[in-house]
Amino acid sequence: MLASGSGDQRARRLLLSLLLLAWWETGSCQVHYSVPEEAKHGTFVGRIAQDLGLELAELVPRLFRVASKSRGDLLEVNLQNGILFVNSRIDREELCGRSAECSLHLEVVVERPLQVFHVVVEVKDINDNPPVFPATRKNLFISESRALDSHFSLEGASDADTGVNALLTYRLSSNEYFSLEVPTNEDQVKPLQLVLKKPLDREVASELLLVLKATDGGNPELTGTVEVQITVLDVNDNAPVFDKAVYRVKLLENTRNGTLVIRLNASDLDEGSNSHILYSFATDVSPDTKASFCIDSASGEIKVNGKIDFEETKLWKLRIEAVDKGSPPMFGHCTILIEVLDINDNHPELQVTSLSLSVPEDAPLGTVVALISANDPDADDNGQVICSLSPHVPFKLVSTFKNYYSLVLDSALDRESVSDYAVVVTARDGGSPPLSATASVSVEVADVNDNAPTFAQPEYTVFVKENNPPGCHIFTVSARDVDAQENALVSYSLVERRVGERALSSYVSVHAESGKVFALQPLDHEELELLQFQVSARDAGVPPLGSNVTLQVFVLDQNDNAPALLPPGAGGGGGAVSQLVSRSVGAGHVVAKVRAVDADSGYNAWLSYELQAAAGGARSPFRVGLYTGEISTTRVLEEADEPRQRLLVVVKDHGEPVLAATATVLLSLVDNGQASKISSRLSKEATDPKLALVDVNVYLIIATCAVSSLLVLTLLLYTTLRCSAPPTESACACSSAVGSWSYSQEKRQRCALGRGRPRRTSWPSALVFPLVRVLEIVEDNRRFAGT
């Protein structure tokens, strides 16, 4: 068994040796250094690289670094020479306190390959802290009757250093009354003590000043002192005595601060300071007492210092203490009972409990609306409360119990006259003078649906620019319902009707809740100048009530139509116009005319004509009238003028932006011989108008007769349809001033004055326009023939 035990021990030792060897090979070793505290910056600590077996050249490549578990800025390593040095001030007392051992634990890490070393730097203590007493002066009060060998404890000094630097010795200044007793090292927990060696006599020495000095064991020595002031006290053997053991006082509540409650008087049979009495509250007096009363320590006067409230405290019990200035002091006690008298200083308190949020206007008489309770914290008559209501309200108070009332309905309600009542309840107590309080009870009258929604005006006029984006907001209708809740919840809808061949809902819609009216599609002024419809407003009552409002939506014109040239005809027209011109005509002679119309209105349809300059910059012998479109000569034609003149006439409107169209006019210049033939022919036509008309305007006469016949038939048919149509609708008539600005304004006025429906081309207007156009062409040919 012994052999087996010895073998096990040898195995354990071998295993431990192998583990230590492996640990050392991995670089986990520990190095110890020491440094004194308060060492200067740069103080040498140790050659850490050499002691760890590291080469200086490999410190930087192997990422040598030092980490501290406590404060890493106290020590630093110079990577150039591998020396560990002091980097900042080291205060051992700050670092370790009163601990006997103080060390800095560093962790040195080297990578590539990884090695970790542990370095312990012990901080050595120096004697840099003197002994310090708790105070620079100690006051002792000792009675002259104290016995000899009496001990008086003193607090010793403390030294922040350790070891021998903190080993203190004490010495008392020389005197004949006291000696110093210092505990041994084994009994350090005992305090220093002064021992009385000679009886004190206050008449010989009333005060003694001693100096206690403490010296540490450091080199050099440091010392600390404290002055011990000893005051010899007179013997005090009589306690203060009050006149009465219990004092009773009555005090009105709300007494002002500073009011005298009572003046106490106590006596002491001693003399001198032993008979000097100070008054104070006993230590068991509540904080509320100290907050409400104050006592003069010298005179014994007790005064009001805070709020005195009967409702909070009806009786105050004050324990007073009288202490003399003897040593030791002696005490006397008395009790003061302060009875607080009530005054009428509290208003009645009202509490209202509503039984329902609203009362229907058809509620029966006697319906209980609210419960009211009244309370007054005052006493006797000051707390008796009587309640009443404000006048002219359909309610009354019914007393159900002492200071409890019910608010009941006393007469019929009418919400249309008064929708809610602010009933004022007044509570008045029986004090002198009486105090009162009021509370408001809001009674809402529930509505029945007896009012329809109403609009601010029966009709609204709205102006909308044409070509609006689909879904744009054009107007908001708003109806007001004087009812309440669901009865006043208004929804909007369109009053459906036909607009021409289409339903109204294809043009506009109205939001059911907000009343916003939206245009569902772009509006065209040329198609629809006025859109008149109605919007209905309905409430959510049962049954629902409603009303309508009329909207007149005028579609304002925008310049979205370019001028349109009329088909070519005799004497003028659009497109390519060919005309013969005699070279013998004089200046200002009209040779042709360009006619155009614009589907827009106003300034957008006001047309002007311009002659585009020739390509080569040559000056043309012709000009065009700015607003007539008539092409005339600017001078006498010459043989040098080109026989064929090609003119470009630009027709522009006055809109924003300006739109234009171009007409081409071809003029053939005829020489004098041909001109004489033309003149002879024209003279015959002038002497015989019928011949000229037959020769030049035969097709026009035929067209005029056909159109006139068709016009008579159409007028008869239209008159029949017009008489049978509803009288509320009328169409806007057209005039012969088509395309002119004055025509557009006149047309707008007539359309605005009518009841208005979407404009569309009627049969009479569709036929009148070609007839008027034919007559204009005839007139132009006559003017041209006359030239």
Side-chain angles (χ1 to χ4, degrees):
M1 294 295 293
L2 292 174
S4 177
S6 301
D8 291 341
Q9 290 181 357
R10 285 195 298 271
R12 290 192 187 98
R13 290 175 183 175
L14 180 60
L15 180 59
L16 181 60
S17 300
L18 292 174
L19 290 175
L20 291 175
L21 179 60
W23 175 61
W24 177 261
E25 288 178 353
T26 57
S28 298
C29 62
Q30 184 168 311
V31 179
H32 290 266
Y33 297 111
S34 64
V35 62
E37 66 170 329
E38 304 295 341
K40 296 182 180 179
H41 173 76
T43 301
F44 173 83
V45 178
R47 300 184 181 277
I48 189 170
Q50 178 180 345
D51 296 339
L52 295 177
L54 301 174
E55 297 294 336
L56 296 179
E58 64 182 4
L59 296 183
V60 175
R62 292 188 63 185
L63 302 179
F64 179 92
R65 67 179 185 272
V66 177
S68 173
K69 296 182 180 179
S70 54
R71 291 183 55 183
D73 60 338
L74 299 179
L75 300 174
E76 190 60 71
V77 176
N78 188 335
L79 298 181
Q80 304 298 324
N81 53 22
I83 293 177
L84 180 66
F85 62 92
V86 176
N87 186 46
S88 61
R89 174 178 175 268
I90 303 176
D91 188 348
R92 186 184 185 281
E93 289 72 35
E94 178 184 349
L95 192 63
C96 302
R98 299 300 300 273
S99 177
E101 295 183 359
C102 185
S103 301
L104 292 173
H105 294 271
L106 305 180
E107 202 173 64
V108 179
V109 180
V110 183
E111 299 183 4
R112 302 175 186 174
L114 178 65
Q115 287 183 292
V116 180
F117 305 94
H118 298 278
V119 178
V120 178
V121 180
E122 182 183 359
V123 180
K124 298 290 187 178
D125 182 49
I126 64 172
N127 191 27
D128 58 341
N129 291 282
V132 177
F133 286 93
T136 60
R137 191 179 186 91
K138 173 68 175 178
N139 295 320
L140 293 178
F141 298 90
I142 303 176
S143 174
E144 60 179 341
S145 61
R146 292 298 294 268
L148 295 178
D149 204 30
S150 296
H151 287 64
F152 305 94
S153 298
L154 297 176
E155 294 186 43
S158 62
D159 196 313
D161 297 322
T162 60
V164 68
N165 294 330
L167 187 60
L168 304 180
T169 58
Y170 297 93
R171 186 174 62 185
L172 186 66
S173 61
S174 59
N175 65 93
E176 56 180 324
Y177 293 99
F178 295 94
S179 64
L180 182 65
E181 183 177 294
V182 180
T184 62
N185 293 337
E186 292 80 9
D187 199 10
Q188 285 290 340
V189 295
K190 289 185 178 181
L192 297 174
Q193 291 187 337
L194 288 178
V195 182
L196 183 62
K197 297 301 183 182
K198 180 181 178 180
L200 298 174
D201 187 351
R202 182 178 180 279
E203 286 69 30
V204 176
S206 60
E207 291 184 351
L208 296 174
L209 181 61
L210 305 179
V211 177
L212 178 62
K213 183 178 181 181
T215 305
D216 62 19
N219 187 15
E221 295 179 347
L222 298 177
T223 62
T225 60
V226 59
E227 293 182 350
V228 181
Q229 178 74 36
I230 300 175
T231 302
V232 182
L233 302 178
D234 187 24
V235 176
N236 183 31
D237 55 355
N238 289 284
V241 178
F242 285 96
D243 297 339
K244 297 179 182 179
V246 178
Y247 295 87
R248 298 182 182 274
V249 180
K250 292 185 177 181
L251 185 66
L252 287 174
E253 67 171 329
N254 296 336
T255 301
R256 293 184 301 176
N257 289 349
T259 301
L260 178 65
V261 179
I262 191 174
R263 180 181 288 106
L264 300 176
N265 182 32
S267 59
D268 195 315
L269 299 179
D270 292 326
E271 294 182 351
S273 61
N274 293 332
S275 64
H276 191 183
I277 300 174
L278 298 177
Y279 301 89
S280 64
F281 292 114
T283 55
D284 59 349
V285 170
S286 65
D288 293 339
T289 300
K290 294 182 178 180
S292 301
F293 301 95
C294 63
I295 185 170
D296 190 310
S297 61
S299 64
E301 292 181 349
I302 298 179
K303 296 181 180 180
V304 176
N305 190 46
K307 182 180 180 182
I308 306 300
D309 192 352
F310 171 82
E311 287 71 35
E312 293 183 2
T313 306
K314 297 176 176 57
L315 180 66
W316 291 91
K317 184 177 181 181
L318 281 62
R319 287 182 54 82
I320 306 300
E321 183 177 86
V323 58
D324 60 21
K325 290 188 176 181
S327 181
M330 302 191 75
F331 299 87
H333 299 84
C334 74
T335 302
I336 302 176
L337 299 178
I338 302 176
E339 181 184 358
V340 181
L341 303 179
D342 180 50
I343 63 174
N344 192 26
D345 61 337
N346 288 280
H347 292 265
E349 298 175 357
L350 286 171
Q351 184 175 3
V352 179
T353 304
S354 296
L355 299 182
S356 61
L357 298 178
S358 61
V359 179
E361 58 181 334
D362 56 351
L365 301 182
T367 301
V368 179
V369 178
L371 300 179
I372 300 172
S373 63
N375 182 44
D376 195 317
D378 291 325
D380 301 328
D381 292 341
N382 297 333
Q384 297 297 324
V385 180
I386 298 176
C387 293
S388 61
L389 284 183
S390 57
H392 310 300
V393 292
F395 304 97
K396 66 179 179 179
L397 287 176
V398 177
S399 178
T400 58
F401 191 66
K402 181 181 179 181
N403 294 340
Y404 286 88
Y405 300 87
S406 294
L407 180 66
V408 300
L409 185 63
D410 190 43
S411 60
L413 300 175
D414 184 6
R415 186 189 177 279
E416 282 63 43
S417 300
V418 181
S419 60
D420 58 80
Y421 293 89
V423 182
V424 178
V425 181
T426 303
R428 192 179 306 274
D429 62 22
S432 181
L435 298 178
S436 61
T438 59
S440 180
V441 182
S442 180
V443 181
E444 182 180 353
V445 181
D447 180 54
V448 294
N449 191 28
D450 56 350
N451 290 279
T454 58
F455 292 92
Q457 56 191 65
E459 185 175 272
Y460 292 95
T461 300
V462 183
F463 296 92
V464 180
K465 290 184 178 181
E466 66 173 332
N467 301 325
N468 56 282
C472 74
H473 172 232
I474 61 175
F475 192 69
T476 300
V477 294
S478 178
R480 179 177 178 268
D481 195 318
V482 296
D483 291 328
Q485 298 175 357
E486 293 83 1
N487 298 330
L489 186 61
V490 180
S491 61
Y492 303 90
S493 62
L494 286 177
V495 179
E496 189 62 69
R497 57 180 284 265
R498 304 294 295 178
V499 181
E501 301 298 330
R502 301 171 61 182
L504 174 65
S505 57
S506 65
Y507 286 95
V508 292
S509 68
V510 60
H511 193 274
E513 296 180 1
S514 65
K516 291 184 177 181
V517 180
F518 300 93
L520 299 181
Q521 63 181 12
L523 300 177
D524 189 356
H525 172 81
E526 288 72 37
E527 176 188 350
L528 183 67
E529 291 187 12
L530 174 63
L531 178 61
Q532 181 171 295
F533 58 93
Q534 287 186 325
V535 176
S536 175
R538 298 277 175 179
D539 59 26
V542 179
L545 300 177
S547 61
N548 297 340
V549 65
T550 300
L551 266 67
Q552 288 188 341
V553 180
F554 285 90
V555 182
L556 302 180
D557 182 53
Q558 286 187 310
N559 193 27
D560 57 344
N561 290 282
L565 300 171
L566 295 179
V577 179
S578 299
Q579 187 68 41
L580 298 176
V581 180
S582 175
R583 290 182 180 272
S584 62
V585 298
H589 184 77
V590 177
V591 297
K593 185 174 183 177
V594 176
R595 300 182 65 85
V597 294
D598 196 312
D600 294 321
S601 301
Y603 280 97
N604 298 329
W606 188 11
L607 304 181
S608 61
Y609 302 82
E610 296 179 4
L611 190 63
Q612 188 171 339
R619 184 179 179 183
S620 173
F622 302 97
R623 64 178 179 84
V624 64
L626 181 60
Y627 298 111
T628 63
E630 295 178 343
I631 300 175
S632 59
T633 57
T634 58
R635 57 179 173 81
V636 176
L637 298 178
E638 300 174 354
E639 293 296 332
D641 293 329
E642 292 292 333
R644 292 183 61 84
Q645 297 282 337
R646 185 175 184 271
L647 305 180
L648 293 180
V649 180
V650 180
V651 185
K652 297 181 179 180
D653 58 23
H654 286 71
E656 288 291 339
V658 176
L659 300 179
T662 303
T664 302
V665 179
L666 301 177
L667 300 179
S668 298
L669 304 185
V670 181
D671 56 12
N672 294 334
Q674 294 175 342
S676 60
K677 295 179 181 180
I678 294 175
S679 299
S680 174
R681 181 181 177 184
L682 291 178
S683 62
K684 291 180 181 180
E685 292 176 353
T687 57
D688 190 357
K690 293 181 180 180
L691 181 60
L693 289 174
V694 172
D695 189 28
V696 180
N697 295 321
V698 173
Y699 75 96
L700 293 178
I701 295 173
I702 297 173
T704 301
C705 294
V707 170
S708 299
S709 301
L710 184 60
L711 175 60
V712 172
L713 179 62
T714 302
L715 287 176
L716 293 176
L717 179 61
Y718 174 72
T719 302
T720 304
L721 294 177
R722 185 71 178 91
C723 294
S724 62
T728 56
E729 296 185 356
S730 62
C732 300
C734 297
S735 68
S736 61
V738 175
S740 67
W741 181 78
S742 61
Y743 157 72
S744 175
Q745 298 303 315
E746 181 182 358
K747 178 179 65 174
R748 181 179 300 278
Q749 293 175 0
R750 290 199 300 272
C751 290
L753 291 175
R755 298 297 294 179
R757 65 177 180 180
R759 190 190 70 179
R760 57 190 178 189
T761 306
S762 61
W763 289 0
S765 61
L767 294 174
V768 168
F769 179 79
L771 178 60
V772 172
R773 179 58 185 151
V774 169
L775 295 177
E776 288 180 349
I777 293 173
V778 171
E779 180 64 23
D780 290 342
N781 277 277
R782 286 178 178 176
R783 291 184 57 189
F784 181 74
T787 58

